[in-house]
Amino acid sequence: MFPCGTSITRRVFVCSYDGVPFLMHDSTLMRTTNVAEVFPNRTHLDAAMFTWAEIQQLNAGSWFLLRDPFGTASSLSETDRSQAQNQSVPSLAQFLEVAAASGKLVLFDLRRPPYGHPYRRSYINTTLQVVQAHINSSQVLWLPSEDRALVSGLDPALQQTSGLKASIQELTDDGISWLNLHYSTMSQQQICKYQSVNISTNLYVISQPWLYTLAWCAGAQSVTTNSVHILSSINKPLFLMVSLTL
């Protein structure tokens, strides 16, 4: 969305009980699916404790139209409403295929499965295998910090990304090429300092046009937003700041 053309999609993924990484922001399925209807005795169970076949039985679209979190439901056509309310939970593979086809960078978190899960120890390797099978690794900003050195060795093309600020020396020693930080923690001076050593900055969560303008003018390379339908139409900063000499 910024002048440089960088567009990043960020999601949270968890590994199913039978080893399929899938998209799920919450730790349970209650808020964004109809799990209470399909599996009424398992509503409070961790999402990772369901098999992929069970996950595929759930509706993941109706809640969005009912709650209308962005106030956009009324603008949808009947065809679009029908499509929206019949969505299923996407797998990581499906997500990556969409990103690969459009040439987008992707940034995702991984939630470690709970105790007793068959993939609790191997979920990172399982996820990495899916990444390598469905997208060019250079399109992936690898955020999970666990076993970063091992992951980097297995796939050097991944763009290692840190969710914590650190000194330039520490970041370069860890092979970090991106920072993913809350907008309130960064200044224009810091962004420029990191950029001078080829470390790019993604700021979250930027959903207001005025915040988007601030991030743009501060030199951030990209933002994470919940309002892409609003920010995507902005092709220049909303205001200019100039200094006056009296």
Side-chain angles (χ1 to χ4, degrees):
M1 290 185 291
F2 280 8
C4 63
T6 298
S7 179
I8 294 180
T9 302
R10 183 184 179 189
R11 296 292 186 268
V12 181
F13 287 89
V14 63
C15 193
S16 73
Y17 197 77
D18 51 347
V20 178
F22 65 93
L23 174 62
M24 186 52 56
H25 180 275
D26 300 353
S27 60
T28 72
L29 302 166
M30 290 180 61
R31 183 175 67 90
T32 60
T33 76
N34 63 337
V35 66
E37 299 174 14
V38 182
F39 302 106
N41 298 323
R42 302 168 67 190
T43 56
H44 295 282
L45 199 63
D46 192 293
M49 301 304 285
F50 290 77
T51 67
W52 179 236
E54 292 171 334
I55 294 294
Q56 288 182 297
Q57 296 179 46
L58 302 177
N59 180 296
S62 293
W63 75 274
F64 189 87
L65 293 181
L66 289 172
R67 300 187 184 188
D68 194 13
F70 304 122
T72 55
S74 61
S75 67
L76 297 176
S77 67
E78 286 302 316
T79 300
D80 288 341
R81 288 182 66 88
S82 177
Q83 183 179 12
Q85 70 183 8
N86 288 291
Q87 294 296 306
S88 58
V89 177
S91 67
L92 174 60
Q94 293 168 329
F95 168 74
L96 293 176
E97 287 170 359
V98 172
S102 58
K104 302 297 185 182
L105 296 178
V106 297
L107 168 67
F108 57 83
D109 295 335
L110 293 177
R111 188 184 303 114
R112 187 172 189 177
Y115 287 105
H117 192 285
Y119 289 83
R120 179 172 170 80
R121 294 180 179 274
S122 60
Y123 75 105
I124 289 182
N125 282 337
T126 299
T127 301
L128 186 58
Q129 290 170 8
V130 174
V131 168
Q132 293 172 328
H134 293 279
I135 197 171
N136 188 313
S137 296
S138 63
Q139 291 177 238
V140 177
L141 278 60
W142 187 267
L143 182 60
S145 59
E146 185 176 353
D147 292 332
R148 187 184 296 280
L150 173 63
V151 171
S152 181
L154 292 173
D155 194 339
L158 294 167
Q159 298 194 52
Q160 294 299 322
T161 304
S162 175
L164 299 173
K165 284 199 297 184
S167 68
I168 287 178
Q169 187 63 54
E170 290 175 303
L171 294 173
T172 53
D173 286 348
D174 288 339
I176 301 298
S177 57
W178 277 84
L179 289 173
N180 179 59
L181 300 169
H182 191 270
Y183 68 86
S184 65
T185 67
M186 291 294 286
S187 67
Q188 181 179 20
Q189 182 179 12
Q190 291 172 319
I191 291 173
C192 291
K193 179 184 71 173
Y194 289 124
Q195 181 62 19
S196 69
V197 292
N198 296 319
I199 297 177
S200 300
T201 302
N202 179 68
L203 299 180
Y204 67 87
V205 174
I206 305 286
S207 294
Q208 298 296 326
W210 69 270
L211 269 179
Y212 183 62
T213 291
L214 287 179
W216 190 333
C217 293
Q221 281 66 52
S222 65
V223 301
T224 295
T225 182
N226 291 325
S227 300
V228 68
H229 58 293
I230 296 175
L231 302 190
S232 60
S233 64
I234 300 175
N235 55 21
K236 62 182 178 180
L238 298 184
F239 53 81
L240 297 175
M241 294 172 286
V242 299
S243 60
L244 297 178
T245 301
L246 299 180

